């Protein structure tokens, strides 16, 4: 047992330790659901629980059914603009500023930013400073239907997360990537 933020036990020294709040919640919770066998094994190792249920990636079956079998073909579909979409929380570690900077590289590039968060104001200021207001659009929080419409009309999803230097946290495999893969692209020239 270590003293500090990560003072949770593990079954073996090579298993990562859970932050104490996660450990306490999982340890004391009545039911535990996770998205992978790896996470199940990690939590089981740290807490001794054997009743952890693996539920999958988080996409609804209706989404998977709607888009299953689609094979987007971008050849011949990219017209006068190239559309990028970002879906997620607007926080520093998501690096949406990189997407905005990327859009300055070509007059063909457009960005659709879906989501809200503490970085929204500074990102909007960056867009104005770079004179990109016609090419970068902020949507804020949208409905599921609107989100999928934006993903379908975009050519690419932008996922630019990096490790948070203060906490050491890093985004693993985000749900936005799965949603974008499911939506594919309906963009026509």
């Amino acid at each position: 047992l270590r003293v500090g933020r990560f003072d949770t036990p593990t079954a073996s020294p090579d298993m990562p330790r859970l932050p104490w709040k996660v450990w306490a919640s999982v340890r004391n919770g009545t039911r535990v659901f996770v998205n992978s066998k790896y996470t199940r094994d990690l939590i089981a190792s740290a807490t001794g629980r054997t009743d952890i249920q693996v539920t999958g990636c988080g996409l609804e079956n209706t989404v998977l059914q709607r888009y299953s079998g689609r094979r987007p073909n971008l050849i011949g579909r990219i017209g006068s603009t190239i559309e990028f979409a970002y879906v997620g929380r607007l926080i520093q570690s998501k690096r949406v500023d990189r997407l905005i900077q990327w859009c300055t590289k070509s007059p063909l590039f457009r960005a659709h930013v879906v989501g809200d968060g503490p970085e929204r104001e500074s990102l909007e200021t960056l867009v104005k400073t770079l004179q990109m207001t016609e090419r970068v659009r902020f949507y804020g929080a949208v409905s599921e239907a609107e989100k999928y419409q934006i993903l379908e009309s975009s050519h690419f999803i932008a996922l630019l997360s990096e490790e948070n230097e203060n906490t050491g946290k890093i985004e693993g495999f985000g749900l936005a990537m799965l949603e974008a893969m499911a939506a594919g692209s309906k963009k026509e020239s």
Side-chain angles (χ1 to χ4, degrees):
L1 207 54
R2 289 192 308 188
V3 177
R5 273 187 58 216
F6 299 94
D7 59 352
T8 58
T10 61
S12 69
D14 59 331
M15 289 292 286
R17 295 178 185 272
L18 297 174
W20 69 270
K21 286 182 182 179
V22 173
W23 183 80
S25 297
V26 169
R27 182 92 172 152
N28 299 324
T30 55
R31 299 196 67 186
V32 179
F33 300 92
V34 297
N35 67 343
S36 70
K37 291 178 182 176
Y38 171 80
T39 305
R40 179 197 60 202
D41 295 345
L42 173 65
I43 291 174
S45 170
T47 64
R49 287 191 78 137
T50 59
D51 61 342
I52 301 166
Q53 186 173 353
V54 178
T55 59
C57 68
L59 284 181
E60 296 179 23
N61 282 337
T62 55
V63 171
L64 296 174
Q65 290 168 356
R66 178 178 176 194
Y67 296 107
S68 67
R70 287 193 45 212
R71 299 285 186 263
N73 180 3
L74 291 177
I75 299 173
R77 290 188 171 194
I78 296 179
S80 60
T81 62
I82 300 170
E83 310 286 330
F84 294 89
Y86 168 82
V87 176
R89 188 146 160 74
L90 302 181
I91 56 176
Q92 189 174 3
S93 63
K94 300 284 187 165
R95 296 307 307 262
V96 178
D97 60 310
R98 288 182 177 165
L99 171 60
I100 295 166
Q101 293 285 351
W102 180 254
C103 286
T104 67
K105 305 292 183 195
S106 170
L108 300 179
F109 294 163
R110 303 286 186 272
H112 304 276
V113 180
V114 177
D116 249 320
E119 292 293 310
R120 181 169 179 167
E121 187 176 324
S122 65
L123 293 169
E124 289 176 331
T125 300
L126 176 62
V127 168
K128 289 175 186 168
T129 301
L130 296 172
Q131 300 178 344
M132 299 288 292
T133 55
E134 297 296 317
R135 294 176 32 211
V136 177
R137 180 171 176 199
F138 291 87
Y139 293 82
V142 298
S143 69
E144 287 292 302
E146 290 171 300
K147 175 177 64 178
Y148 279 103
Q149 184 178 15
I150 292 164
L151 288 171
E152 288 172 357
S153 68
S154 298
H155 296 104
F156 302 99
I157 182 85
L159 301 168
L160 305 164
S161 298
E162 69 180 10
E163 183 177 357
N164 182 314
E165 292 178 14
N166 297 325
T167 64
K169 291 182 180 177
I170 190 165
E171 183 173 27
F173 190 81
L175 184 57
M177 182 184 295
L178 293 175
E179 292 170 335
M181 289 167 56
S185 173
K186 287 186 179 178
K187 183 77 174 180
E188 299 293 335
S189 313

